[in-house]
Amino acid sequence: MSRKAFQRLSLDDRRRSLMEATLVCVAQHGLHGATVRRIAEEADVTAGLVRHYFGSKDEMIRTAYAYLVGQLTARASDSAKQTEGDADLQLRQFLRANVTMPNLSEQKVSLWATFIGRVRYDPQFAEIHREGYREFLNLLEALVEPVLVAHKRPHSAAICKRHAIALNGLIDGLWMEGSLNSGLYSQALLPDILVEASERLLGLPPGSLSIPQATQEH
Amino acid sequence: MSRKAFQRLSLDDRRRSLMEATLVCVAQHGLHGATVRRIAEEADVTAGLVRHYFGSKDEMIRTAYAYLVGQLTARASDSAKQTEGDADLQLRQFLRANVTMPNLSEQKVSLWATFIGRVRYDPQFAEIHREGYREFLNLLEALVEPVLVAHKRPHSAAICKRHAIALNGLIDGLWMEGSLNSGLYSQALLPDILVEASERLLGLPPGSLSIPQATQEH
DNA sequence: CCATTTGTTATACAATTGAATAATTTTACG
DNA sequence: CGTAAAATTATTCAATTGTATAACAAATGG
């Protein structure tokens, strides 16, 4: 009887591979069903490696959570940065990125919710959540301010923050319910609903955050 | 060595007692840590009763989830119904009830998130979620329509639904992030943020959903 | 080509889990 | 007051869990 053949991976590759396997298992079976053995099997290794790379299952799950949060924010942020110059367009892209693929994903919402449920009784999860939320709020605030300025709307720090909080709530809620897709409406509506609602929240003229017709090619 | 003394409860009382113990344990330790033994201890009974009343742990947890969702919606709905007559005031009360105690609660959000995480891989949880979401959306739609009518805003069925979807997203997001209270802002701001944002979303004049000064007694 | 390091597998183990069954106590009723 | 039915406790059991340890194999550098 021969042992399983295997190849060594770099530290980063192996860790990422294990984190992604963790996310897959948590999404598929919940924290409860995401056992070390199942995760190891998903990553095509044996269970002992978890200890080797993360010390414990809990530590691996924490790391995977932070990995997920970072990914979500980065996707939206990158989408905004891709379009340079126009403040309206940047905000628009940021908003839309949150309610379209790949961020609009039942699996990601499912994961996110599962982890959020742990924030309350696990201080280390609370810390990861707080950091992620803060970063997202700051990003949003930084995107909102120039838009308000451009449209000559009130834009004190307090007002910007208030708008960012409300917008963030709107984004989170639509992202979540939209991803879970209860079948009560089409997911394709979400970007427009979000953009239009954001215009209203910020007190912008209707259509401000729509694509300028001139630069629209397709 | 004598057995533990006990008293018989009515079927409904015992079931509710077990469901509430389930919620306490899930909030405190997650689905993972909410073992039958711990839940039984919390309800001050022995583990066997779970089987007797629910058949299985999973069935008990499902029932507790439906119980929680019903409670959340009922609280908001009751709050709206308490104020009769004025459509604006009813919507206002409904909104505020979602971001004030007892619905604004880290424990409730924590529970809700934990269960949402299960919607994806457990069809019975998905059914409970869908039903709860539909009911909430309908309630919201029914509250929004007369407000739009009163303010002579567009109020076709499609528009009402669209508003309900956006409003629901806003409520969910603010309720969640506000309850988790990352410490980035005061929870006391939430009702005003939500009400003001809702006015904007619906295109109402500022202050429409504030308490009418004339009828304000305290 | 050999030796050493360490990434990886394989096995073992104590603890805990959900559920099943048996024993006992409470309640209701005649 | 006694007796049957039902609720509750106590105990047992097989399965699964996370982790620890030992055996092995792959890459690395001389």
Side-chain angles (χ1 to χ4, degrees), chain B residues 151-170:
Chain B
H151 288 273
K152 302 201 164 59
R153 306 279 313 165
H155 56 273
S156 70
I159 287 181
C160 284
K161 179 161 191 175
R162 202 180 163 96
H163 280 317
I165 292 171
L167 267 184
N168 176 72
L170 184 63

Side-chain angles (χ1 to χ4, degrees), chain A residues 116 119 129, chain B residues 106 109-110 175-183 187:
Chain A
I116 285 290
V119 162
H129 168 72
Chain B
E106 193 177 0
V109 163
S110 188
W175 170 65
M176 199 169 38
E177 297 294 0
S179 293
L180 290 179
N181 190 19
S182 52
Q187 289 182 327

Side-chain angles (χ1 to χ4, degrees), chain B residues 101-121:
Chain B
M101 292 267 290
N103 275 19
L104 184 79
S105 138
E106 193 177 0
Q107 169 177 311
K108 293 207 168 100
V109 163
S110 188
L111 284 168
W112 181 77
T114 300
F115 290 134
I116 285 291
R118 197 158 163 172
V119 163
R120 180 168 202 267
Y121 61 92

Side-chain angles (χ1 to χ4, degrees), chain B residues 93-161:
Chain B
Q93 290 303 96
F94 183 87
L95 293 172
R96 293 181 66 95
N98 280 287
V99 289
T100 50
M101 292 267 290
N103 275 19
L104 184 79
S105 138
E106 193 177 0
Q107 169 177 311
K108 293 207 168 100
V109 163
S110 188
L111 284 168
W112 181 77
T114 300
F115 290 134
I116 285 291
R118 197 158 163 172
V119 163
R120 180 168 202 267
Y121 61 92
D122 185 328
Q124 313 197 55
F125 269 70
E127 175 61 21
I128 297 170
H129 168 73
R130 190 179 316 117
E131 269 312 297
Y133 185 39
R134 196 168 60 84
E135 189 188 345
F136 195 90
L137 220 46
N138 286 341
L139 271 170
L140 205 42
E141 220 172 313
L143 286 168
V144 161
E145 204 239 356
V147 170
L148 293 176
V149 169
H151 288 273
K152 302 201 164 59
R153 306 279 313 165
H155 56 273
S156 70
I159 287 181
C160 284
K161 179 161 191 175

Side-chain angles (χ1 to χ4, degrees), chain A residues 62 65-66 69 73 112 115-120 122-137 168 172, chain B residues 106 109 173 176-185:
Chain A
R62 267 190 287 273
Y65 173 41
V69 170
T73 302
W112 181 78
F115 291 135
I116 285 290
R118 197 158 165 172
V119 162
R120 180 167 200 266
D122 186 329
Q124 313 197 57
F125 269 70
E127 174 63 20
I128 297 170
H129 168 72
R130 188 179 317 119
E131 268 312 297
Y133 185 41
R134 197 168 61 84
E135 189 187 346
F136 196 89
L137 219 47
N168 176 70
D172 275 6
Chain B
E106 193 177 0
V109 163
M176 199 169 38
E177 297 294 0
S179 293
L180 290 179
N181 190 19
S182 52
L184 301 180
Y185 52 88

